[in-house]
Amino acid sequence: MEYSCNLYELRCGECGKSYGNRPLSACPDCFAPLEVQYDLEAVRGVFTRENIAAGPANIWRYKALLPIPEGFAPDLPVGFTPLLRANNLGKRIGATNLYVKNDAVCFPTLSFKDRVVSVALANARAFGFTTVGCSSTGNLANSVAAQAARLGLDACILVPADLEAAKILNTQVYGARLVRIDGNYDHVNRLCTQIADEYNWGFVNVNLRPYYAEGSKTVGYEIAEQLGWKLPDNIVCPMAGGSLIRKIRKAFKELIALGLVEPKEVRFFGAQATGCSPISHAVKQGWDYIEPQRPNTIARSLAIGNPADGPAAAKMIRETGGWAEDVSDVEIVSGIQELAETEGIFTETAGGVTTAVTARLYAHGRISLDEITVSVITGNGLKTTDALEGCFEPGIAVKPKLAAFDEYLRSLDAATEPELAYAGEAR
Ligand SMILES: *Cc1c(COP(=O)(O)O)cnc(C)c1O
Ligand SMILES: [Zn+2]
């Protein structure tokens, strides 16, 4: 189970040894994660602003720098989500050049995981797997199930038993086999490593992980292109396994190396929930290792206590002059509401983390108000409505009569705080 390709191959990040293209995530010699490396000179003439602009309005416009096996013609229009100027949110938190990258509306399953899964499954096919799967904190499960269905692959998906109901349903609806495991994500992931070997299945974030991770680069390519082929000053990005934040940087480096953007050192800021903050903790302590944690947070999509790319992410954040922060569950809920109220974007708990951390970075002066900053929103709020339970009342049902409506409004006015009631009288 191997395929040959002269444009890219797996290489060990530590010892540099090459492994060709095969389903393997870590170097057998030094246990370091493997990375896909490209022959950048070979794509120099192809990966140009003009060719990209002439490509489809989805991630496949960047196909020349994605590990897509020859003969696989990707046709799912994944990605190319909006990059919005967030002036209203900016006003609230003291930022004048703030943008939101909105993967809450990524196709087909409303999270950035659609990007990584589409690249991983292209490789699953090339390696001859007929069953694919993943260990998931929710969004990955949804995306593997949906894309496997379309590719005609069997899917077996393992999740922690306490996952949100919506994320379970959003996996089962595609016909995937879903197995709830009585444990946390780290238990699930360890089990998947054993299953992948035993059953010869393609697990997108286990034995296919190096290919999977490359899909995250498209967030970086899109941000640069949508800013008019410019790099921002800062990126604020949520972290679970620590892969996405690193791959956005890899994308920027490739764009610089190929001359698509002016060289610039972008600062990277990582965001986690305090209830599962092994990477932000390492950054704050100045460690180059991770102390695993037992997750306890409503941000379940980020709840990885022992993140595979955690050490590398912590090191990279410090190298760029960035920082990492973590926020409480109460702040996460406020973050969700703040983004919804100011920009009309309903994000899930991970987006609440990112929004709350972004606000804190400005408040603490880690980012100054006029720098170009992109806050990366990675998932959709409709999947984690449990987090907002008790925040809103549906209210009583009002009779369909104008008089009843008038009375209803008056009763609301009477119930509001004295300050507002007084303003009403003064009119
Ligand atoms: C998986 C996930 C992340 C984090 O991705 P990593 O690459 O594992 O750090 C962020 N946001 C959401 C919504 C996710 O599902
Ligand atoms: Zn090695």
Side-chain angles (χ1 to χ4, degrees):
M1 281 201 308
E2 223 177 308
Y3 67 82
S4 64
C5 170
N6 51 14
L7 292 175
Y8 61 85
E9 63 171 8
L10 297 183
R11 232 173 274 164
C12 173
E14 282 295 322
C15 69
K17 194 167 166 195
S18 298
Y19 289 93
N21 287 294
R22 61 177 81 186
L24 186 68
S25 68
C27 175
D29 292 344
C30 52
F31 307 110
L34 299 182
E35 294 255 355
V36 177
Q37 294 294 343
Y38 299 82
D39 180 353
L40 279 188
E41 289 320 304
V43 299
R44 189 173 286 277
V46 185
F47 199 81
T48 62
R49 290 183 186 182
E50 295 69 32
N51 285 353
I52 291 166
N58 55 55
I59 62 169
W60 307 119
R61 68 207 272 110
Y62 311 110
K63 190 171 157 223
L65 275 182
L66 294 173
I68 296 302
E70 228 174 294
F72 185 86
D75 70 341
L76 206 59
V78 175
F80 221 63
T81 56
L83 179 76
L84 293 144
R85 253 200 101 97
N87 288 340
N88 300 335
L89 178 62
K91 234 172 244 151
R92 240 200 235 187
I93 68 177
T96 56
N97 257 321
L98 182 62
Y99 291 81
V100 167
K101 178 63 172 166
N102 186 12
D103 266 14
V105 293
C106 201
F107 184 80
T109 65
L110 308 179
S111 88
F112 100 93
K113 292 295 199 303
D114 290 325
R115 303 170 182 273
V116 289
V117 170
S118 58
V119 176
L121 291 192
N123 283 275
R125 284 275 288 256
F127 292 133
F129 291 117
T130 54
T131 298
V132 296
C134 62
S135 57
S136 174
T137 57
N139 286 312
L140 188 59
N142 301 166
S143 193
V144 170
Q147 297 194 45
R150 190 171 150 99
L151 288 169
L153 296 164
D154 289 330
C156 180
I157 286 155
L158 284 79
V159 297
D162 72 346
L163 214 57
E164 297 95 334
K167 283 184 177 160
I168 301 223
L169 178 78
N170 269 289
T171 304
Q172 292 174 320
V173 73
Y174 302 107
R177 185 187 310 160
L178 178 101
V179 185
R180 288 167 67 228
I181 301 296
D182 184 15
N184 63 34
Y185 175 83
D186 299 285
H187 299 124
V188 177
N189 194 255
R190 209 170 311 134
L191 176 62
C192 284
T193 310
Q194 296 167 333
I195 295 173
D197 290 343
E198 180 82 16
Y199 289 78
N200 191 30
W201 291 350
F203 275 73
V204 301
N205 58 336
V206 180
N207 48 354
L208 298 170
R209 187 173 178 85
Y211 300 98
Y212 150 102
E214 285 291 291
S216 289
K217 290 192 308 184
T218 58
V219 175
Y221 297 145
E222 289 176 17
I223 289 171
E225 186 177 0
Q226 289 168 322
L227 286 173
W229 292 115
K230 280 201 190 75
L231 298 183
D233 295 310
N234 309 299
I235 292 283
V236 185
C237 181
M239 304 184 293
S243 175
L244 171 62
I245 192 167
R246 292 186 61 230
K247 292 295 178 170
I248 296 177
R249 183 163 189 238
K250 184 178 183 188
F252 289 170
K253 281 185 161 179
E254 288 170 346
L255 294 177
I256 292 170
L258 293 173
L260 275 76
V261 296
E262 289 291 318
K264 175 173 187 178
E265 184 63 272
V266 179
R267 292 190 299 160
F268 282 80
F269 295 86
Q272 293 206 292
T274 304
C276 183
S277 50
I279 310 179
S280 68
H281 191 66
V283 169
K284 290 175 181 176
Q285 299 296 319
W287 295 341
D288 55 6
Y289 59 92
I290 292 290
E291 211 172 75
Q293 293 182 2
R294 184 177 304 185
N296 179 17
T297 170
I298 57 168
R300 296 215 179 86
S301 56
L302 302 181
I304 299 184
N306 190 10
D309 294 296
K315 180 165 171 266
M316 170 289 247
I317 287 169
R318 279 197 310 270
E319 259 171 33
T320 67
W323 189 243
E325 277 295 345
D326 48 85
V327 289
S328 69
D329 286 359
V330 171
E331 290 171 290
I332 293 168
V333 172
S334 302
I336 292 173
Q337 291 182 248
E338 203 153 47
L339 184 62
E341 288 167 11
T342 55
E343 302 297 340
I345 295 170
F346 186 18
T347 184
E348 68 151 81
T349 46
V353 168
T354 310
T355 304
V357 164
T358 302
R360 187 185 293 176
L361 290 166
Y362 280 96
H364 288 188
R366 297 250 173 215
I367 296 180
S368 49
L369 92 162
D370 58 344
E371 290 172 351
I372 301 169
T373 301
V374 178
S375 183
V376 181
I377 297 302
T378 46
N380 194 295
L382 292 171
K383 295 192 195 185
T384 62
T385 52
D386 333 29
L388 297 180
E389 208 170 286
C391 291
F392 303 99
E393 292 298 328
I396 59 156
V398 176
K399 292 237 151 46
K401 300 258 195 269
L402 185 57
F405 181 74
D406 287 344
E407 192 187 335
Y408 174 68
L409 276 196
R410 272 197 304 275
S411 76
L412 284 188
D413 281 351
T416 48
E417 302 103 84
E419 204 180 276
L420 287 178
Y422 177 77
E425 275 165 30
R427 262 189 277 128

